[in-house]
Amino acid sequence: MVADLLSRIKEIRLIQGGMGAGVSNWRLARAVSSSGRGLGVVSGVALGNIVARRLEEGDTEMRDAILKFPDGRISEEIINTYFVPAGKRDPTQPYKPFPFPNPKADSNKNVTLPRRLEGLIVASTFAEVSLAKQGHDNPVGINLLYKIEWPTLPALYGAMLAGVDAVLIGAGLPRTIPEVLDGLSRNQPVFMDATVTNGENYRFHFDPKNIIDAPIELERPTFLAIVNGHLAARGVSKADGYIVEGPNAGGHNAPARSKALTESGEPDFGEKDNLNLEAFQKFLTKNQGEKRLPEQQPYWFAGGYANRLSEARQLGAQGVQVGTPFAFSYESGIPLDAKKELIGLIMKGCRVFTDPLASPSGFPFKVIPMPGSLSDVRIYEGRARRGCNIGHLAEIVEIDETLTMRCPGEPIKDYVRKGGKEEETIGRTCLCNALVSTIGLGSPGEPPIYTSGKDHEDVITLVKESLENTGELVYPASKVIDYILRNQ
């Protein structure tokens, strides 16, 4: 079955990138996959939090999807806790609290999450993938960041319960994911290494039987590792395929080889940060022999490839992954007014800044300079640091044999009290809250932050065509697909 699914995925020339927290939502993924011309991908980042807030806004489609979750106890608890039939009316009032991770470790250093949080993550990813798959029979994928470790296992299980066809993971080396997917498909307890500062030999533990009393047999999805070159691919040699992403891609980027910054203060990406195609293809050939694979693992190129499908194919790729043009389509999760303002800036030639400090993860993060967002120095300096209330980019740290979480974006005194260094807080943002604000679900007073790829040529072309044909700035996802595939 895995081989059959991979064969189907290999025929796909266009993968829609998994963007942000809720930017690549189920509506966008469904639009792409249902067209039969690409793989629609939902973002799995912060989905538990996002779904809870959608329910509080009175989202009946999400409510109905949650109610279809296989375990009624979990779905009813979520609906009873979060769903507001008429929607939350007062934008100045905070959303209901989201269960904080608060990881606990047993005597064997197995780390688990609070049961209520685990159930919310599983049900939320189930609902998002289910909605993306509704109304068609084409493959759908989910994108996760390996740097955000603690939600990964329950998120994968929820997606698999919904029949997800492909799992795409980057921002780290997800070595253990193939074994995790194998185990979850057999409804077995699974483990994943846990990065714990000042601690050793911790691992996350997830047992499907804690979610569903009588687990059902699941199909193992195809696993595509997102890498920046042959060295990273070597670290995830058991992946079913690869998405090779260059430094022009939006969102988080792999750190530059050089520690130096350019005159503008950006990471100094150089020749060594570009794909060495010859070395990559040699790795694929060697890996095929060592692992006795029937054929070489397929790959797709990402990061500025929306109008370069033919080039990618000539270089041996199955196709391309594209994010930025889809981010500004009607179906993405960014509110329409914000899309229009962002497109206006793009049409005027705004320059995306690769910020080496903004993300608490330590990875470079691309930022669109937009007034009223965290890219505005006055907005950044005017925002009071708050205690961590989401925790997706917080690090787990061991203090006196007890696990806690800290983030360089939280109040400086709290970070230092937990063993962090004050200089590590300089320039950091509360990216978790900012990205949820980006899709219109932010906590009161939390400004958004916007990201995109470095190159806006494709967006500008699509906007000009849309203005000429319809008079509208914003275009549908179908026009992005047309644009990419006509360049074959």
Side-chain angles (χ1 to χ4, degrees):
M1 293 295 287
V2 175
D4 293 342
L5 183 55
L6 179 59
S7 295
R8 194 177 181 193
I9 299 294
K10 283 177 63 177
E11 296 302 314
I12 294 172
R13 300 290 170 255
L14 166 62
I15 297 175
Q16 165 246 310
M19 298 171 286
V23 175
S24 292
N25 58 15
W26 65 262
R27 287 183 175 85
L28 176 57
R30 184 198 285 181
V32 175
S33 284
S34 64
S35 74
R37 298 185 293 162
L39 176 68
V41 177
V42 299
S43 170
V45 175
L47 256 185
N49 188 285
I50 290 169
V51 166
R53 294 186 180 192
R54 286 179 186 161
L55 291 172
E56 201 169 341
E57 295 288 353
D59 188 330
T60 55
E61 289 176 292
M62 184 55 66
R63 175 203 62 191
D64 294 345
I66 289 285
L67 287 174
K68 293 177 182 177
F69 185 69
D71 191 298
R73 297 168 305 171
I74 291 175
S75 58
E76 287 177 15
E77 179 185 10
I78 292 171
I79 297 302
N80 291 338
T81 302
Y82 294 106
F83 183 64
V84 178
K88 184 170 81 73
R89 297 284 181 163
D90 188 349
T92 66
Q93 292 299 309
Y95 287 97
K96 294 177 182 178
F98 177 77
F100 196 71
N102 289 325
K104 305 294 182 185
D106 62 19
S107 58
N108 294 317
K109 293 196 172 183
N110 293 326
V111 180
T112 56
L113 303 177
R115 190 65 53 85
R116 184 164 162 261
L117 174 57
E118 218 173 42
L120 178 56
I121 295 170
V122 174
S124 296
T125 49
F126 167 86
E128 189 81 356
V129 173
S130 295
L131 286 168
K133 289 180 71 71
Q134 204 172 88
H136 63 92
D137 297 320
N138 300 315
V140 166
I142 187 170
N143 178 275
L144 297 166
L145 300 182
Y146 200 62
K147 187 75 175 179
I148 306 176
E149 295 175 342
W150 59 261
T152 297
L153 297 181
L156 288 174
Y157 186 59
M160 290 173 67
L161 283 171
V164 76
D165 302 281
V167 169
L168 296 71
I169 301 183
L173 291 179
R175 296 183 179 90
T176 57
I177 295 301
E179 289 78 12
V180 167
L181 296 177
D182 290 341
L184 290 176
S185 69
R186 297 190 289 265
N187 290 292
Q188 296 172 343
V190 291
F191 300 87
M192 189 179 90
D193 291 344
T195 302
V196 176
T197 303
N198 300 330
E200 296 179 348
N201 303 320
Y202 285 94
R203 58 182 188 167
F204 289 105
H205 170 250
F206 176 81
D207 189 344
K209 294 183 179 63
N210 290 334
I211 301 296
I212 298 177
D213 289 334
I216 56 179
E217 185 176 342
L218 302 173
E219 184 172 357
R220 182 199 186 277
T222 297
F223 170 48
L224 303 179
I226 303 174
V227 299
N228 65 339
H230 68 285
L231 295 177
R234 188 185 302 169
V236 200
S237 62
K238 293 183 180 179
D240 299 311
Y242 300 95
I243 295 170
V244 186
E245 188 175 87
N248 283 336
H252 285 94
N253 301 129
R257 296 284 187 90
S258 170
K259 301 301 180 185
L261 299 179
T262 65
E263 290 184 3
S264 61
E266 298 176 285
D268 190 11
F269 289 106
E271 186 62 34
K272 290 184 178 180
D273 296 297
N274 295 326
L275 173 68
N276 182 330
L277 183 60
E278 181 181 0
F280 180 65
Q281 290 177 334
K282 283 182 178 179
F283 155 75
L284 294 176
T285 300
K286 183 179 179 182
N287 202 43
Q288 179 186 6
E290 289 179 348
K291 298 204 166 34
R292 299 182 180 179
L293 302 174
E295 55 187 341
Q296 284 188 7
Q297 293 141 301
Y299 57 94
W300 291 256
F301 288 144
Y305 274 88
N307 63 357
R308 298 165 64 191
L309 177 56
S310 292
E311 176 187 339
R313 294 280 293 158
Q314 290 169 6
L315 295 175
Q318 302 300 121
V320 296
Q321 175 182 278
V322 176
T324 296
F326 284 112
F328 300 105
S329 68
Y330 274 116
E331 293 88 345
S332 86
I334 302 173
L336 185 59
D337 287 347
K339 280 178 195 162
K340 290 181 177 179
E341 187 173 353
L342 288 163
I343 287 173
L345 293 171
I346 288 171
M347 300 303 284
K348 292 176 182 177
C350 75
R351 180 181 179 277
V352 176
F353 179 70
T354 306
D355 195 322
L357 298 175
S359 175
S361 70
F363 282 46
F365 185 79
K366 284 194 167 57
V367 178
I368 300 178
M370 178 164 165
S373 74
L374 277 178
S375 66
D376 186 325
V377 174
R378 292 170 299 176
I379 298 294
Y380 174 79
E381 292 180 347
R383 177 192 176 273
R385 288 179 175 243
R386 300 176 177 89
C388 187
N389 65 333
I390 295 179
H392 279 84
L393 287 170
E395 64 178 323
I396 301 175
V397 58
E398 182 188 277
I399 300 176
D400 297 328
E401 299 183 353
T402 301
L403 298 185
T404 189
M405 300 185 79
R406 73 183 183 201
C407 176
E410 67 183 335
I412 296 173
K413 61 180 177 58
D414 293 342
Y415 185 71
V416 172
R417 175 174 52 82
K418 299 172 189 174
K421 298 178 181 178
E422 184 171 347
E423 58 265 29
E424 295 170 346
T425 67
I426 297 172
R428 303 296 187 188
T429 67
C430 181
L431 201 58
C432 293
N433 272 296
L435 288 175
V436 178
S437 293
T438 297
I439 58 171
L441 294 173
S443 299
E446 287 290 357
I449 194 168
Y450 299 98
T451 183
S452 80
K454 201 80 169 175
D455 185 1
H456 290 145
E457 175 188 346
D458 309 304
V459 175
I460 291 170
T461 300
L462 285 160
V463 170
K464 286 181 177 178
E465 291 181 358
S466 182
L467 286 170
E468 182 179 340
N469 295 325
T470 68
E472 297 289 337
L473 274 175
V474 184
Y475 45 82
S478 61
K479 294 301 181 183
V480 184
I481 300 171
D482 291 343
Y483 173 78
I484 295 167
L485 295 184
R486 78 187 183 206
N487 288 305
Q488 290 190 82

